[in-house]
Amino acid sequence: MASGAHAGSGRCGILILCTAALEGDWLGASRGIAVRLPGHCELSCSVCDCRNTPTPASLVAELSGAERLVIRGAVAASNIADLCSRARSAGVVDIAIRSPLLDITLPTHAVQLRNLGVSSVMVPLFSARAPVHDRIAGKQDTLVRTLVGMRACADAGLAIELEIPLLPARLQNLTELLNLAKRAVPELAAAQFLVPAEPQPRTLVPESWDRLGPHLVAAIRHCQALDIAPKLPARCGIPPCVFKGSEDLMELIRYNPHGNKSKTEGFARGAACGGCSARFCPGIREWHLRAGSDAGLQALNRIPATLKHRDNSKRRRWNARQREHAKQLNWLILRPTVNCNQDCVFCSVNETAQNHWEDPDKTYRLIARAARRGVQRVNFTGGEPTLSPRLADFIEVARRCGIPEVDLCTNAVSLTSTARVEKLVNAGLTHAFISLHAHDEALSQVLTLKQGDFERTLRGTKALIERGVLVTLNHVINTRNFPYLTQFVELVRERFDGKPIISFTMITPQYRALENVGLIPKLSEVSPHLMRAAHRCIEIGQPFYIGARQGTPPCFLGPFRAWSDILFIEHEAVAEDAEQKVRAAQCDECRYSKHCTGVWRPYAERYGLDELKPLRGPPINAADFVPATPPKTLVEYFPKTFEEAPSPLRDPDLELKLIEDLRTKPGFSPKRFLPVLPQERRSRPDRVLMFGSSGQARRLGNAITEVEQLVLDAVVSPHMHDWLATSFDASGWNEAAHALDVVNPDLVVIAAATRAHRELAELCIKRGHPVLVEKPVGETIEDTLALEAALGDSIAMPAHNVLFAPGLLDFLDRPGKLTSIYRRLPPHAPGAPTSWNHQALSELVYHQAVLASRQLGGAATLVSARYEGAGKPLKLAFSLTGPEGQVELKFDYTSDVDELEIIRELAHGVTSRWLRSGQSVHVGRLHAGSWSMAPVSRSVSEHANMLRHFQAVIRGDTAQKVSLSHAVQVKQTVAAIMVALGSAGAPFQRPEAPRHVASRDLAPKGF
């Protein structure tokens, strides 16, 4: 097969090489590789593949990173010893041999295999009747000898697994065959079923699927009853429709529901397959179809949940409380599309989102059924639902069926047309939930990646309000916009005079939002800004509420708990969100314990649960506050002032404290500074001007304070004119050239958006300012090369802070060669990938490519690339070569630890190791088979170390150790890695993934 041919074969965690492999060599179910040895088996089974071409030696040598090795072909102890030894040295956990075991008659024979490192055997069985089995095998007494060998291997401690090719029922009773094997080996571990890969003689061709299917289902059920694990290996030739009526068994299918839909070599689809929803299924064996076996194939009109959930999450198990709340839900959510005309960086929707119905007829039926159930509201969301040409029809059907409220979740960009709005309103639209995440165009571009959409959304919102639609503005709080919540309130007042209600919600950490976890803010940091914005709403009479379902528990709301929607959305929160959220132990003591589901699990994994503080007092009961008859508008649920709030939800002491803080504490108004520091201060430290105000800019700002001889004089950002004083202790500017001219800094740090790096860096270089540029230096390799060409006599350095970890540069500068870099992370750690996203994975690979490229002495050439993981990257391995040697670059996102390990070979055969585990760093050498490690002291962060080095370069105290040339090499290395992963079949592109639209010059350029 071509490399990567199984990349879409389900949650298989396969290992892929960039070089060519053979059909069937890759084991999708076991994260391993199968190797066919040369030679011939003494049997002549036509249903086996032992006579296929042996695996090339180049592939046999490539065992590192595999968890399981299956040895097929002419297996004998004499010709597998070296292979087993190399596999164990490469870290292979499970070595299995596929053999009829004819030469294993005693446990002592099996012990020889075990001593070689073999841990399990895969045994082909064809029939429970000896004459039939022996005739297929081509040798008398084969069945008896195989059963004896199975027993001997089991007695020696080897695991036994059956491989059962499907044959005609007259020759093969699957239940009898399983019973026979179970009697011989009570410890039997597994049985895998498959249609033979090669064409069979007429007497061995399995029946059509209408007869074969029920036998297979019965056999799998029997496996379960006998405590034998049933398996369907990748490319087994068994389609999912065989299990129609037994959908739970579809969990065994090794297909990826979002995988490749094109024709698969050796497979073909029958006449019934044309209208099937399981378009990812390759069909059945081509030779099997030619034999007339397609009878019984049936189109699936939907993809069963067992296939969907297997690839994305565990199937949900409902408890009694969740079921009870689900019965109380009184609205229906429908997604006519998951595509969108924006490209929000924290989007929480992909093609697996619930309630995604692109078939209009299904949508009509769902609306009618909901109306019969008494549903009071239908919500059309997406993606962007206005992209659906039938949206007005759906709305009209909902109203005609008697549903009184129709809500549209939209960005309103396409609703600037009066005719378009009229059509929706005339169809019966009553409510709109409009996404508006910024207070100005500049911030809107950062979050939506669209130019001009900010004003379009405002115009669309106004059009809906003027036509009497009840509008709520959905303001999703993230690390970029939370300092401007009050400014957003002022915008709504200015443009709409308080007519829409504002919904303050946190990011829902799903799908793309998990690829940008740095956008998820800490609730304790958001809270002061949210309190100030909420108080401003009360001052000006702006209606608002704070979304609890989106992850803001009442304990973060201070005196504004009465504006939480937690008591009004209890059914939705418990029924739909509870499994995705987590609570702290102390939450059981809180007044809201009965109703609060806590915070999102990804949030807890990033920030922990120590922030959650129980609110003391009598338990809150939602029934005491929710009116029996729901109000017409959401505004009526919430008070307009503290005095209107229900007494049990108030805290007068916190109300007074808030007023006092607003009156007396600095930092609640924009900070003003003189543009130039006094002369006596300027004569001591070097003054820094920084471009950018993002999270990375704040990290660098904190690092500057760790360096005694540096001071942050000025920060330049489009929003610095209204940035709060708590963000930076520096003067604020919003125009780059003017800031450089007035401040005249000693050095510049560029931590703005990547697309602005080149323009800002060239501006600094022209003025002769030394510049440190955050990684990646440019959006493209060409950008970085252009900067390098423009450098002249100026000093410019990429911010490759990983090189400045404690003791690392000294370790790398010793004579010797780098051999491996190994990054390990737990699967839910903030830096672990959550999907096959090209941009996010490029950024993760970049940090280790910095180390590899520096040691290779130039741009790296990729020798091989391997990966595991279908839904997301689990393990990656790359072999890189350069002018000064070869390096293995490995990533393990299934680890229990957070570690970066670097191995170097020094002179005289000494192996050295640098290890960062958590926050501690150790360096040592390999001695007598074990590591002798010593701790490395850490005084400041690696960012501060980098800034110290950059300052020393500027002052002429040291040579620059990192150049823009190095940044170019790293970009080239990352680009080569990502291309190789794509060529190897890494599932970056999901055929059904939502299509998002970004403005051309704002869209991510990638690596």
Side-chain angles (χ1 to χ4, degrees):
M1 68 173 184
S3 63
H6 293 306
S9 301
R11 291 177 63 87
C12 52
I14 55 177
L15 193 67
I16 298 292
L17 291 179
C18 284
T19 48
L22 293 173
E23 171 71 41
D25 278 349
W26 294 100
L27 302 175
S30 55
R31 291 198 296 274
I33 181 174
V35 171
R36 285 188 188 83
L37 298 181
H40 295 286
C41 174
E42 59 182 290
L43 303 180
S44 56
C45 322
S46 65
V47 293
C48 293
D49 60 358
C50 298
R51 286 174 170 75
N52 285 6
T53 307
T55 303
S58 60
L59 285 187
V60 176
E62 193 63 64
L63 298 174
S64 61
E67 290 186 12
R68 191 182 200 213
L69 169 66
V70 176
I71 305 172
R72 306 174 74 93
V75 175
S78 59
N79 64 356
I80 66 172
D82 178 64
L83 183 56
C84 289
S85 175
R86 284 190 284 119
R88 288 299 184 195
S89 298
V92 177
V93 177
D94 179 15
I95 299 177
I97 62 167
R98 192 267 194 188
S99 169
L101 304 176
L102 302 184
D103 296 326
I104 308 297
T105 57
L106 296 172
T108 53
H109 299 156
V111 168
Q112 295 178 26
L113 291 176
R114 189 188 66 191
N115 292 340
L116 290 174
V118 174
S119 53
S120 58
V121 294
M122 183 183 297
V123 183
L125 284 184
F126 313 132
S127 176
R129 289 179 282 166
V132 174
H133 185 283
D134 296 350
R135 180 68 180 270
I136 294 172
K139 192 166 187 175
Q140 193 171 358
D141 297 330
T142 299
L143 178 59
V144 173
R145 293 171 61 187
T146 295
L147 295 174
V148 170
M150 289 168 55
R151 180 66 263 165
C153 289
D155 289 342
L158 300 177
I160 311 297
E161 179 175 330
L162 302 182
E163 181 181 271
I164 304 177
L166 297 179
L167 303 173
R170 69 180 186 279
L171 304 178
Q172 181 188 67
N173 185 309
L174 293 173
T175 301
E176 288 182 0
L177 184 57
L178 291 167
N179 288 337
L180 176 66
K182 184 71 173 179
R183 287 195 300 270
V185 182
E187 307 91 341
L188 187 61
Q192 65 175 14
F193 304 90
L194 70 157
V195 175
E198 301 298 327
Q200 298 298 304
R202 181 176 299 179
T203 55
L204 297 183
V205 175
E207 290 98 337
S208 57
W209 286 105
D210 55 342
R211 300 183 61 188
L212 181 58
H215 291 302
L216 179 60
V217 170
I220 293 175
R221 296 289 187 205
H222 197 58
C223 281
Q224 295 170 334
L226 296 177
D227 197 26
I228 301 170
K231 293 183 178 181
L232 301 178
R235 298 165 63 89
C236 61
I238 300 172
C241 60
V242 170
F243 301 109
K244 193 170 184 179
S246 302
E247 272 90 356
D248 60 304
L249 299 185
M250 289 188 185
E251 290 184 332
L252 302 174
I253 297 285
R254 292 291 165 187
Y255 299 139
N256 178 359
H258 316 298
N260 186 12
K261 300 172 187 175
S262 60
K263 179 172 169 40
T264 303
E265 184 179 357
F267 285 78
R269 296 184 174 99
C273 299
C276 184
S277 295
R279 290 171 289 175
F280 51 83
C281 172
I284 62 175
R285 295 285 184 191
E286 196 167 17
W287 71 264
H288 198 200
L289 179 63
R290 289 198 303 268
S293 66
D294 59 336
L297 295 182
Q298 46 192 327
L300 299 176
N301 55 17
R302 62 179 179 84
I303 300 177
T306 46
L307 276 176
K308 278 189 176 181
H309 289 292
R310 179 184 53 73
D311 190 57
N312 299 291
S313 62
K314 295 180 180 178
R315 291 194 68 190
R316 179 166 184 181
R317 299 185 182 276
W318 293 74
N319 60 35
R321 179 173 179 248
Q322 292 166 355
R323 289 183 183 279
E324 187 59 34
H325 281 282
K327 293 176 184 178
Q328 307 302 317
L329 296 180
N330 202 26
W331 66 355
L332 172 67
I333 296 176
L334 293 173
R335 301 179 189 273
T337 181
V338 290
N339 301 319
C340 189
N341 52 2
Q342 291 185 339
D343 196 15
C344 294
V345 292
F346 47 75
C347 184
S348 60
V349 175
N350 78 358
E351 72 275 18
T352 63
Q354 293 182 348
N355 310 306
H356 173 205
W357 306 100
E358 289 189 340
D359 185 337
D361 292 335
K362 290 182 181 178
T363 303
Y364 292 137
R365 289 195 294 270
L366 286 167
I367 294 171
R369 292 169 188 166
R372 288 196 294 270
R373 295 197 308 269
V375 165
Q376 296 297 298
R377 175 182 286 198
V378 61
N379 185 312
F380 292 102
T381 182
E384 174 49 50
T386 59
L387 298 180
S388 170
R390 302 216 182 177
L391 179 60
D393 296 337
F394 296 149
I395 294 173
E396 185 175 4
V397 168
R399 295 302 301 275
R400 285 188 176 185
C401 287
I403 297 175
E405 297 180 355
V406 176
D407 197 354
L408 181 65
C409 182
T410 175
N411 56 38
V413 167
S414 60
L415 297 180
T416 56
S417 162
T418 303
R420 187 82 185 274
V421 173
E422 287 285 342
K423 184 176 182 180
L424 297 180
V425 172
N426 292 339
L429 180 66
T430 60
H431 294 69
F433 192 65
I434 299 177
S435 299
L436 184 61
H437 310 307
H439 69 292
D440 66 9
E441 170 70 20
L443 185 56
S444 177
Q445 289 184 17
V446 170
L447 298 176
T448 66
L449 300 184
K450 286 299 291 292
Q451 294 171 328
D453 274 15
F454 175 73
E455 189 61 35
R456 294 187 188 98
T457 296
L458 294 177
R459 287 164 51 199
T461 300
K462 184 177 180 181
L464 289 168
I465 292 173
E466 290 176 346
R467 288 294 285 115
V469 177
L470 300 175
V471 171
T472 298
L473 293 175
N474 177 32
H475 193 65
V476 175
I477 300 172
N478 55 78
T479 54
R480 297 292 181 88
N481 69 5
F482 79 76
Y484 310 116
L485 296 180
T486 303
Q487 285 87 333
F488 181 77
V489 172
E490 297 292 356
L491 168 76
V492 176
R493 177 195 187 191
E494 176 186 340
R495 298 296 294 260
F496 307 117
D497 195 24
K499 290 184 175 65
I501 188 172
I502 296 176
S503 168
F504 291 110
T505 60
M506 293 286 286
I507 286 178
T508 299
Q510 296 176 346
Y511 307 124
R512 188 173 184 186
L514 286 177
E515 298 162 7
N516 298 286
V517 291
L519 290 171
I520 302 173
K522 196 172 185 180
L523 283 165
S524 56
E525 294 179 358
V526 170
S527 183
H529 301 277
L530 183 56
M531 296 306 95
R532 181 171 182 265
H535 184 266
R536 184 58 179 155
C537 285
I538 290 178
E539 283 184 327
I540 64 177
Q542 169 64 53
F544 76 99
Y545 70 94
I546 301 164
R549 280 193 67 186
Q550 290 77 14
T552 309
C555 55
F556 288 95
L557 300 185
F560 294 100
R561 295 165 201 151
W563 282 266
S564 171
D565 67 356
I566 191 168
L567 303 180
F568 313 111
I569 47 84
E570 179 186 16
H571 299 314
E572 292 90 337
V574 174
E576 299 180 9
D577 303 336
E579 278 207 341
Q580 303 177 67
K581 290 186 176 178
V582 62
R583 292 166 28 126
Q586 62 267 26
C587 292
D588 293 340
E589 306 168 16
C590 183
R591 302 181 68 196
Y592 290 85
S593 179
K594 178 181 177 182
H595 308 289
C596 183
T597 52
V599 295
W600 298 104
R601 291 185 184 276
Y603 178 92
E605 290 158 0
R606 184 172 179 82
Y607 295 118
L609 298 173
D610 292 342
E611 294 175 294
L612 301 177
K613 307 296 181 186
L615 301 173
R616 309 293 180 180
I620 297 292
N621 185 5
D624 297 335
F625 304 96
V626 179
T629 302
K632 182 179 179 181
T633 66
L634 197 61
V635 176
E636 298 175 43
Y637 277 120
F638 304 103
K640 295 180 177 63
T641 64
F642 287 132
E643 290 72 23
E644 290 185 14
S647 178
L649 304 184
R650 290 188 65 183
D651 191 326
D653 291 338
L654 288 179
E655 294 168 10
L656 291 173
K657 183 178 184 302
L658 174 71
I659 300 301
E660 183 66 15
D661 287 346
L662 289 169
R663 186 177 65 84
T664 62
K665 279 192 174 181
F668 280 90
S669 59
K671 192 173 185 181
R672 306 298 181 196
F673 289 86
L674 293 175
V676 182
L677 290 173
Q679 180 64 36
E680 61 268 22
R681 184 179 175 188
R682 284 191 288 127
S683 65
R684 295 196 298 270
D686 289 324
R687 297 175 302 108
V688 181
L689 181 145
M690 181 160 63
F691 291 107
S693 56
S694 65
Q696 182 62 7
R698 291 194 288 276
R699 280 188 287 274
L700 286 166
N702 291 334
I704 289 171
T705 65
E706 297 182 65
V707 183
E708 292 181 1
Q709 291 300 309
L710 285 181
V711 62
L712 182 61
D713 250 17
V715 177
V716 185
S717 169
H719 296 106
M720 282 308 298
H721 63 284
D722 54 13
W723 190 270
L724 301 182
T726 52
S727 299
F728 293 101
D729 186 14
S731 59
W733 300 78
N734 55 22
E735 206 283 315
H738 185 56
L740 285 171
D741 290 340
V742 175
V743 178
N744 191 25
D746 298 302
L747 63 143
V748 175
V749 173
I750 298 178
T754 304
R755 63 178 179 272
H757 283 186
R758 177 178 173 180
E759 180 182 354
L760 292 173
E762 289 180 343
L763 182 65
C764 295
I765 289 171
K766 287 178 181 178
R767 283 167 165 75
H769 296 293
V771 59
L772 178 74
V773 189
E774 180 54 44
K775 56 191 174 299
V777 171
E779 282 196 289
T780 63
I781 294 173
E782 290 71 24
D783 285 341
T784 313
L785 286 169
L787 277 180
E788 185 181 19
L791 186 58
D793 295 330
S794 297
I795 298 173
M797 188 175 98
H800 290 168
N801 52 280
V802 66
L803 290 170
F804 297 89
L808 183 53
L809 275 175
D810 290 340
F811 176 82
L812 295 176
D813 287 343
R814 296 172 188 171
K817 62 178 181 178
L818 182 67
T819 58
S820 70
I821 302 168
Y822 205 155
R823 184 72 172 104
R824 306 180 187 92
L825 267 180
H828 298 297
T834 59
S835 67
W836 281 101
N837 177 272
H838 193 283
Q839 181 73 14
L841 189 57
S842 297
E843 293 176 4
L844 294 177
V845 170
Y846 189 98
H847 295 81
Q848 274 57 257
V850 165
L851 302 171
S853 297
R854 187 178 188 276
Q855 289 294 291
L856 291 175
T861 300
L862 198 70
V863 177
S864 68
R866 307 180 298 280
Y867 76 85
E868 294 181 20
K872 64 179 181 180
L874 298 177
K875 294 182 180 180
L876 306 170
F878 310 102
S879 181
L880 308 172
T881 186
E884 297 182 10
Q886 184 165 329
V887 175
E888 297 297 318
L889 192 60
K890 300 178 182 179
F891 301 81
D892 182 356
Y893 299 116
T894 65
S895 176
D896 295 327
V897 295
D898 180 349
E899 288 183 344
L900 173 60
E901 179 188 60
I902 304 174
I903 305 295
R904 300 187 79 238
E905 297 295 336
L906 306 181
H908 309 297
V910 175
T911 302
S912 63
R913 180 193 197 199
W914 183 94
L915 178 68
R916 183 181 67 201
S917 183
Q919 296 299 315
S920 63
V921 175
H922 291 75
V923 175
R925 297 184 175 186
L926 185 64
H927 180 70
S930 62
W931 292 105
S932 176
M933 306 291 289
V936 178
S937 62
R938 173 178 176 169
S939 56
V940 295
S941 68
E942 59 189 41
H943 289 88
N945 274 335
M946 175 180 66
L947 288 163
R948 280 179 173 174
H949 171 72
F950 189 52
Q951 182 186 40
V953 171
I954 293 169
R955 292 184 172 186
D957 297 335
T958 188
Q960 184 173 328
K961 295 193 175 183
V962 189
S963 66
L964 286 184
S965 296
H966 182 226
V968 174
Q969 294 163 8
V970 174
K971 291 280 288 186
Q972 291 170 336
T973 299
V974 174
I977 286 174
M978 301 310 294
V979 168
L981 277 176
S983 300
F988 289 115
Q989 301 296 327
R990 306 188 309 276
E992 296 180 354
R995 293 183 295 277
H996 296 272
V997 179
S999 295
R1000 183 179 297 274
D1001 57 344
L1002 298 181
K1005 300 298 190 299
F1007 282 77

